[in-house]
Amino acid sequence: MEYLELIEIVNSGKKRAFFLYAQDEQMIFQVRDQLRKKVLKEEDSLSHIKLDANRCTSEDLQNALSSYSMLSEDILVELSNCQFMETSGSSPLKELVEEYLKDPRDDLYFIGSYKYENDLNKKNFYLDGLKKKISPKSIIEAVDSLKPRSVSAFVEKLLLERGVEPPKNLATFISEVFKGSTLQLEKEIDKLVAYTAGREIRKEDVLKIMEISDERHIMNLLDLIFTERGLGRNIKDILNLVNDLVYRGEKAEMIIGVIGSRLRLLFKIKALAEQKAGSAEIMKSLKTGSAWYADRMTRIADAISYSEYGKLLDVILEHEYMMKTTSVDSMALLEMLILGLVNARDIR
């Protein structure tokens, strides 16, 4: 179900308990925020209880669901990170959520949610079965990523919230060139608004700021490996994204090639920056008209030491050679490459 349909259900007031799961967590946030607006009279209301399933106990949740408001408004209970609902295994928290969805209170709103990692995890047989047992006042839904027409409407909403009147057809154009989650889209819109600094946003601006969006997932991987604080440290997230890319159909050989190209480009930028090259020269080297993007890439390049570049280039060359001369499984080679890159950090 699209988030816009869920927004309408929230506004109708016919449901008192929501359990939502999505790959694009921002879609859950949109529904949650609308529920907050509907139920709460003020942002810091005493009737608002927020719990994280990774930190709270079943007793904490039981107390929240048993709370009564001393104010003239309903209670809103939020429970995030409900990954315990992904499988049929039992737990005290799971039993509480399941029982509450079967019989929600009329004076309390509940929203539980979790983010799944990729399309392989979207199908949830346990929740599909639970849907048949819950109250008509409850709803369990996977929140779909936005379709192109909805992306356009979402872009217009984001721009208007930032005080920008979107020029004709701009939102449609952005929806066509951008590929990624809505949380990423929101960040890109912030960059776009900052870059244009109050003047009318043109298509050329979109292409300058969002020019790599067609390869967004691969760019996310590069951003995890090469950061403004040096080489990335979160191996789990990097490998999860690598696996997701391969599942989407990207070839391991291509991913290795893109990582190598980014490394060589960063090394070139570091050398240019140390030679006191100006922003225009670095922009030319990057083939971009965006000074913001050139500055960011310069910071990333500078965060890696020359000794680290030496080790990184050795790792890339070794794996590219192995890929061309041996029959080693390309996916295994890619995972070995990632570990080699992360372990190339200097001891500081």
Side-chain angles (χ1 to χ4, degrees), residues 18-35:
F18 297 77
F19 192 87
L20 309 176
Y21 52 109
Q23 184 177 7
D24 186 349
E25 197 171 26
Q26 184 70 2
M27 294 295 89
I28 296 173
F29 295 160
Q30 293 292 317
V31 181
R32 178 205 65 190
D33 290 348
Q34 187 62 31
L35 190 59

Side-chain angles (χ1 to χ4, degrees), residues 100-112:
Y100 188 80
L101 292 173
K102 292 177 182 178
D103 185 24
R105 285 168 46 185
D106 287 333
D107 59 343
L108 186 147
Y109 284 86
F110 169 76
I111 180 167

Side-chain angles (χ1 to χ4, degrees), residues 231 233 304-308 311 343-348:
L231 293 174
R233 297 171 181 271
I304 303 171
S305 71
Y306 277 116
S307 65
E308 287 173 330
K311 289 183 280 187
N343 289 329
R345 290 194 306 268
D346 287 340
I347 299 174
R348 297 170 182 168

Side-chain angles (χ1 to χ4, degrees), residues 50-64:
K50 292 183 282 187
L51 299 173
D52 183 336
N54 290 331
R55 296 183 178 88
C56 75
T57 65
S58 57
E59 184 177 357
D60 294 331
L61 179 58
Q62 181 65 70
N63 289 339

Side-chain angles (χ1 to χ4, degrees), residues 16-19 65 85 94-105 110 126 129-140:
R16 291 285 165 163
F18 297 77
F19 192 87
L65 295 175
M85 297 289 274
K94 188 174 191 177
E95 291 171 9
L96 270 175
V97 171
E98 182 174 332
E99 289 306 310
Y100 188 80
L101 292 173
K102 292 177 182 178
D103 185 24
R105 285 168 46 185
F110 169 76
Y126 166 71
L130 185 58
K131 285 182 183 180
K132 303 171 185 176
K133 305 175 185 177
I134 61 175
S135 164
K137 297 177 185 176
S138 299
I139 183 170
I140 296 174

